Amino acid sequence: MIYRFTCIVCPLGCTIEVEVDDDRVKAVRGHTCQRGKEWAIEEVTNPKRVVMSVIPVEGGRLPTVSVKTAEPVPKEKISELMRFLARLKVKAPVRPGEVVAEFDGVKIVATREA
Amino acid sequence: MYDVVVIGGGPAGMAAAIKAKELGLNVLLLDENDYLGGILPQCIHPGFGIHYFREELTGPEFAHRLKERLKELRVKVKGNARVLSIENYSDLEKVVTFVSPEGIFDVRTKTIIYAAGARERHAFEIGIVGDRVAGIYTAGEAQTLMDIYGIMPGKEIVIVGSGDVGLIMARRFALEGARVKAVIELMPYPGGLARNIMILRDFNIPLYLSHKVVEVRGRGRVKRVKVVKVDENLRETGEEFWISCDTLIISAGLIPNVKLLKEVGVEIDPATGGPVVNDRLETSVPGIFVAGNALVINDLVDYVAEQGELAAEGAKEFVENEGIGTKRWIRLKRGQNVRLLAPHYLSGERDVWIYARVSKPMENVAVEFPEIGKRIRLPVVKPAEMLRIRLRKKEIARAKGAITMEVVPL
């Protein structure tokens, strides 16, 4: 299996190919720096994303408050995380940076005032 | 009388007001919303502030930092204030008229920093015909509904345009459980930053390049849309298919919001859609400065905030010297593969940032300014990514006449 994507570590945007066999990385091609190579390997073996959403807020100026995960979470956990977020509700006031919940050891942080 | 009235409380306007206050000017910030930040509070994704704050923030967090600074500095802010007109009494006196729930007010000011942002192109503007039904939104409208008001605009989505806004909304829809059936892009290449193109792969969203949506059908609500393939000259080929969906999202680019500027006689550059400006970001009407997406459509909020600061420095010079003192302006002209650029006039009295976009993607290029013998090599240029290039005072001063900027193969 060969994965092909544009590197996003820096604005160069190299096209990197990662060849994978039995879940083992066999070869990385097209990168022009070490950071790009490491990113590409992680992107194939353990892709992670910072996830954002909004949750309802009671008594705030706006009906929702925006939240994000304090750190990137594994991609395959994202749909479970979104279902978890869909059950959350908070009461105003909320300050940006406030931890409103925790999912699998990852803090869910408010990013907007409410 | 104010030294400066800033119109627009988004990142450009807030950064301008902060800088103006720090420079000792008497400043008033006007915004039409009841919250500050412009579009930032609805841009809940990360990726903001890497240059400006040296930290990756979400849109609301970026806005919050600027708001806190405004508070610390006790900048006078008036929300719920929509500017109706600008009048240019003289170079040294302008009147800004705004309406708010308390009534209509006139404020006098020496300078204006116009930071009213941009508007989105809508369905009619890109030639989509058919039934006038519910379920057609611009990407920004959908974003406001979802991320400010918590309302899902639809379940089965087709997105027109693969620019950053369209891609980011594709992710938001997919994350919130809607099915994104396709992203349709007119050009033969995607319009967004590489990091946003990844979204399509993350959620298995099909991207149709060299295609356009031409027709919407439905009764009461969108039912299906017609997609046609276009050739290299963007002409319809006749090859077509239908996609069933309940929602069509238009993300077909932004246009600087310059209505009030036009009314006061500011010269507009057809390439940027924003005003013609000098290197103080002053328009053709002395004392009216402009920053952010009202000046040129930016890809990073960091540049928008930077332009706000530049405009504030311009306002400071204007207030102190009753005008911008430059005697000779050097025209910066567009050459090969430069679709747009700003600023348009350079003084040679200071270093300057040039913001530009190319017309087509190219690899292994040089950005050249032949009249002053400057050349910068770049591995790749893309229309989606704004070029931001520093020209030094002494380099500009070498020019006898105009300077051309061009992007040429190496």
Side-chain angles (χ1 to χ4, degrees):
Chain A
M1 179 83 179
I2 292 174
Y3 295 86
R4 199 159 182 271
F5 39 78
T6 306
C7 181
I8 55 166
V9 172
C10 84
L12 275 186
C14 299
T15 299
I16 305 187
E17 278 184 5
V18 182
E19 195 178 334
V20 179
D21 214 2
D22 288 337
D23 289 343
R24 299 257 321 256
V25 174
K26 297 268 285 197
V28 183
R29 285 181 290 268
H31 59 281
T32 45
C33 74
Q34 189 59 28
R35 278 172 69 207
K37 184 180 176 177
E38 284 162 16
W39 174 82
I41 291 171
E42 169 145 314
E43 187 54 31
V44 168
T45 53
N46 184 23
K48 287 179 175 176
R49 300 284 183 265
V50 168
V51 177
M52 59 280 157
S53 186
V54 291
I55 57 179
V57 54
E58 223 173 86
R61 275 175 80 181
L62 301 174
T64 67
V65 62
S66 52
V67 296
K68 68 173 182 187
T69 57
E71 54 200 271
V73 296
K75 227 166 96 174
E76 78 266 8
K77 286 265 181 194
I78 291 178
S79 53
E80 192 189 330
L81 167 63
M82 291 305 291
R83 282 194 296 275
F84 171 78
L85 292 179
R87 292 194 296 270
L88 293 181
K89 254 185 209 147
V90 290
K91 276 200 172 76
V94 185
R95 296 279 300 161
E98 203 173 306
V99 177
V100 298
E102 205 171 301
F103 171 81
D104 227 13
V106 177
K107 292 186 171 74
I108 310 296
V109 179
T111 58
R112 201 161 61 204
E113 218 166 354
Chain B
M1 180 147 78
Y2 287 102
D3 291 327
V4 51
V5 168
V6 179
I7 300 173
M14 286 198 288
I18 289 165
K19 188 74 183 182
K21 184 80 178 192
E22 286 172 347
L23 292 171
L25 300 179
N26 175 16
V27 49
L28 171 68
L29 173 62
L30 297 175
D31 189 77
E32 63 181 12
N33 285 318
D34 58 0
Y35 54 86
L36 280 176
I39 58 150
L40 286 176
Q42 74 198 48
C43 299
I44 63 167
H45 53 282
F48 296 89
I50 297 157
H51 302 282
Y52 196 76
F53 288 116
R54 308 209 171 276
E55 199 178 328
E56 188 166 357
L57 305 170
T58 65
E61 290 170 321
F62 192 101
H64 185 74
R65 299 246 176 136
L66 294 177
K67 272 189 275 182
E68 292 291 293
R69 187 71 186 133
L70 282 172
K71 247 190 249 167
E72 271 168 38
L73 290 166
R74 303 210 172 123
V75 174
K76 204 166 166 194
V77 177
K78 181 90 189 74
N80 284 316
R82 171 172 268 243
V83 175
L84 300 176
S85 67
I86 297 168
E87 267 179 88
N88 190 36
Y89 279 16
S90 73
D91 282 3
L92 302 177
E93 184 181 357
K94 287 115 181 54
V95 172
V96 176
T97 304
F98 66 87
V99 61
S100 79
E102 297 84 43
I104 295 180
F105 299 90
D106 286 338
V107 284
R108 291 161 69 225
T109 182
K110 291 177 188 160
T111 67
I112 289 169
I113 297 177
Y114 186 87
R119 69 168 180 85
E120 299 178 275
R121 295 216 296 157
H122 49 73
F124 299 132
E125 231 168 337
I126 56 170
I128 295 178
V129 300
D131 297 322
R132 293 196 175 197
V133 286
I136 306 173
Y137 300 93
T138 66
E141 285 167 353
Q143 195 176 47
T144 309
L145 280 173
M146 289 175 89
D147 294 337
I148 299 284
Y149 298 105
I151 296 165
M152 274 301 274
K155 291 190 186 106
E156 297 204 303
I157 319 285
V158 170
I159 296 175
V160 175
S162 66
D164 294 312
V165 187
L167 295 170
I168 283 159
M169 285 316 291
R171 170 172 58 193
R172 284 295 294 135
F173 279 119
L175 275 174
E176 297 295 343
R179 193 164 155 225
V180 183
K181 299 187 85 168
V183 173
I184 313 289
E185 171 59 52
L186 177 67
M187 303 306 284
Y189 46 83
L193 301 171
R195 65 173 184 228
N196 292 328
I197 307 292
M198 292 203 20
I199 291 165
L200 298 170
R201 196 169 51 93
D202 276 2
F203 295 99
N204 290 316
I205 298 168
L207 169 66
Y208 293 89
L209 297 173
S210 296
H211 280 76
K212 66 196 264 198
V213 171
V214 294
E215 196 178 320
V216 180
R217 286 294 164 206
R219 287 183 84 177
R221 178 92 195 183
V222 176
K223 191 89 186 140
R224 60 186 196 278
V225 298
K226 187 187 192 174
V227 181
V228 299
K229 195 171 179 203
V230 299
D231 63 18
E232 58 274 21
N233 300 312
L234 308 182
R235 278 189 303 246
E236 293 174 25
T237 58
E239 205 179 306
E240 61 181 54
F241 58 95
W242 290 85
I243 304 178
S244 66
C245 59
D246 61 21
T247 303
L248 182 67
I249 301 295
I250 311 295
S251 172
L254 303 174
I255 295 181
N257 181 7
V258 291
K259 186 168 162 271
L260 291 174
L261 292 180
K262 277 188 185 162
E263 283 169 6
V264 76
V266 163
E267 188 191 343
I268 302 296
D269 171 8
T272 57
V276 173
V277 293
N278 61 32
D279 64 12
R280 285 297 203 192
L281 304 187
E282 185 188 31
T283 66
S284 60
V285 174
I288 299 183
F289 299 82
V290 62
N293 279 359
L295 167 66
V296 58
I297 301 305
N298 289 271
D299 49 4
L300 299 181
V301 70
D302 308 74
Y303 300 164
V304 164
E306 173 180 273
Q307 289 156 14
E309 292 189 2
L310 285 170
E313 284 166 11
K316 164 85 170 171
E317 182 186 338
F318 191 98
V319 168
E320 272 184 354
N321 304 296
E322 304 202 324
I324 300 294
T326 302
K327 293 283 173 286
R328 182 180 84 123
W329 290 107
I330 299 158
R331 177 92 208 203
L332 183 64
K333 295 197 305 188
R334 289 185 287 134
Q336 195 186 326
N337 202 18
V338 175
R339 180 161 60 105
L340 56 86
L341 57 76
H344 308 76
Y345 290 96
L346 312 178
S347 63
E349 292 162 12
R350 62 190 73 92
D351 297 354
V352 61
W353 285 115
I354 309 295
Y355 306 95
R357 282 184 194 273
V358 296
S359 316
K360 55 177 199 293
M362 269 166 87
E363 278 179 30
N364 232 345
V365 296
V367 179
E368 290 202 32
F369 300 86
E371 292 89 346
I372 56 172
K374 187 178 174 82
R375 161 185 257 217
I376 300 153
R377 288 165 175 236
L378 290 175
V380 61
V381 290
K382 297 172 192 168
E385 282 170 37
M386 198 150 89
L387 294 172
R388 175 168 160 275
I389 286 162
R390 192 75 158 159
L391 284 189
R392 302 270 165 209
K393 175 174 150 176
K394 60 174 195 291
E395 293 170 332
I396 301 163
R398 276 184 224 144
K400 303 263 184 314
I403 300 175
T404 315
M405 173 176 178
E406 55 189 15
V407 177
V408 293
L410 264 179

